[in-house]
Amino acid sequence: AAQFSVADPQVDVPEEVVGGGVLSVAQAFHASTLVRRGGLRSQQSMGQAVTQLYSAAAQFSVADQRARFAQAKEEEDLRYLAIEKVFDGAYLAGKKVVVTGGNRGLGLEIAKRAKECGARVFATCRRAGDDLKDVATAFEGVDVTDLPSIASFAATFQKEHGTLDLLINNAGYFYGPQEKVLDDTLNFEEELKQIDICAVGPLRMTSELVKAGALQEASKVVIVTSQAGSVEWRFTQNPEGGDYGHHMSRAACNIMGALLAQELKAKSITVLLLHPGFNKTTMTKKYEHVWEIEGAVEPWQGAMRVLHETGLHDFTDSGKFFNCEDGKQIPW
């Protein structure tokens, strides 16, 4: 632990926490951050501090996808295994919800589930199919890489509908082929495209809606990101490296979301970063061979996970990164 610099020098990580290999150094630092935010009092004993640190570390999800799925089965975790049995979308009734990338996959399912819960659903996309038009007011021609189209949408929405309650930045892009340096398969254009869509895209959309006055105090912004953006988890999930564009784009998305949350605190706007879980979509089809052994679910279940998790958090959790499978946090 002594090899790591500390962001806040007022809090030390007790040696007992990292001793014995029970907690990793990274877990200990994440835990100490949580304890500090909760107000670790100087008069507390070391034993109390260590207990709090262990408790805080337990709030984090497991990096190994297969081990996480196996643990959920062993514990019979309905939240993980059958979200439809515990799903609560009552908070959505009467709310105005905007979903980006709502024309297919997870975005379309989020729109459908939100509609079923009584929300007024609006969706942005480049082209809307009949499935989307049946459940949402579709704004076509909106591309998250095209600022004028986003600005036009934001202004129109605010003029016609006023303030929205929930923005779900879902639009994303996933380059299919595996990228590696050693076999000369890097595609730099695709890497930049993924960063533009997955990281800068949600920032463009959120920014324009704030500027238009459509996102105000008590509004909530969800950024559908991915566990792929966790740098710490790369050493478990990508032991051989590679697959650069996808992971870089999600890491960039996560730092954007953290900074956005910090800035929008001044307007009391909540920003949540959510990993939707492993979903059986066209974006993950290259991992089809492990869908069943790693617990991938249908898009409608993934949508329920996202909406359920969204409803569990308020402004006090702004800026945090949650796994919608088990509701635990993911380390940066």
Side-chain angles (χ1 to χ4, degrees):
Q3 298 176 32
F4 286 81
S5 188
V6 180
D8 186 342
Q10 297 183 25
V11 174
D12 296 322
V13 180
E15 185 177 350
E16 292 93 325
V17 173
V18 293
V22 178
L23 289 182
S24 70
V25 171
Q27 281 179 311
F29 274 103
H30 286 303
S32 69
T33 298
L34 290 175
V35 172
R36 184 182 72 249
R37 287 176 178 174
L40 181 60
R41 298 184 298 277
S42 59
Q43 66 265 32
Q44 287 181 302
S45 69
M46 182 62 72
Q48 288 174 311
V50 171
T51 299
Q52 281 191 313
L53 289 170
Y54 277 118
S55 177
Q59 298 177 29
F60 285 86
S61 195
V62 176
D64 188 304
Q65 182 80 41
R66 296 184 189 183
R68 192 191 316 151
F69 183 41
Q71 179 179 317
K73 289 189 290 184
E74 182 179 349
E75 296 175 354
E76 298 183 347
D77 183 356
L78 288 180
R79 157 73 180 263
Y80 196 120
L81 303 174
I83 185 63
E84 63 275 14
K85 294 184 179 181
V86 299
F87 175 72
D88 183 2
Y91 73 95
L92 289 164
K95 302 296 185 182
K96 287 177 283 187
V97 178
V98 169
V99 183
T100 70
N103 57 315
R104 63 178 182 176
L106 184 63
L108 177 58
E109 292 300 327
I110 290 173
K112 288 180 178 179
R113 302 287 86 78
K115 171 78 170 180
E116 289 174 355
C117 292
R120 294 177 58 195
V121 183
F122 307 85
T124 69
C125 57
R126 288 176 295 176
R127 291 176 299 278
D130 291 339
D131 285 349
L132 178 60
K133 293 177 180 178
D134 288 340
V135 298
T137 300
F139 288 82
E140 296 184 88
V142 181
D143 186 327
V144 296
T145 66
D146 180 58
L147 187 58
S149 71
I150 298 171
S152 176
F153 157 70
T156 300
F157 182 92
Q158 198 285 326
K159 181 179 180 181
E160 296 180 355
H161 305 287
T163 304
L164 66 95
D165 298 291
L166 173 61
L167 166 64
I168 300 180
N169 284 296
N170 165 80
Y173 175 65
F174 193 14
Y175 179 57
Q178 186 76 250
E179 290 184 279
K180 291 191 175 182
V181 172
L182 299 181
D183 60 12
D184 195 26
T185 55
L186 294 181
N187 189 321
F188 299 115
E189 290 184 359
E190 286 291 334
E191 290 168 9
L192 290 172
K193 180 178 179 180
Q194 288 174 92
I195 292 171
D196 195 16
I197 293 172
C198 299
V200 187
L203 182 58
R204 290 190 188 98
M205 179 62 70
T206 306
S207 173
E208 290 304 310
L209 286 168
V210 169
K211 287 161 56 179
L215 281 170
Q216 296 188 15
E217 183 177 349
S219 293
K220 187 179 292 186
V221 175
V222 165
I223 299 170
V224 177
T225 178
S226 170
Q227 62 182 359
S230 169
V231 175
E232 183 177 325
W233 279 12
R234 290 316 94 223
F235 301 102
T236 299
Q237 297 181 348
N238 293 82
E240 297 179 358
D243 213 2
Y244 291 91
H246 174 52
H247 294 95
M248 289 192 300
S249 72
R250 293 308 184 178
C253 175
N254 289 351
I255 191 64
M256 178 277 294
L259 293 170
L260 185 64
Q262 291 294 95
E263 182 176 5
L264 294 186
K265 281 182 179 179
K267 294 184 71 68
S268 298
I269 296 173
T270 300
V271 178
L272 300 173
L273 293 102
L274 302 183
H275 167 56
F278 196 8
N279 296 294
K280 298 176 181 178
T281 65
T282 55
M283 289 180 66
T284 66
K285 195 166 179 62
K286 73 175 182 179
Y287 300 121
E288 185 177 12
H289 60 289
V290 296
W291 274 354
E292 301 307 321
I293 60 177
E294 295 194 358
V297 299
E298 296 297 331
W300 65 267
Q301 293 169 303
M304 280 190 167
R305 284 174 167 176
V306 169
L307 292 173
H308 183 77
E309 192 67 36
T310 298
L312 295 177
H313 303 287
D314 58 20
F315 187 65
T316 59
D317 287 326
S318 192
K320 293 181 181 179
F321 181 17
F322 292 99
N323 183 354
C324 294
E325 293 170 334
D326 55 21
K328 296 182 178 181
Q329 290 187 69
I330 298 177
W332 301 113

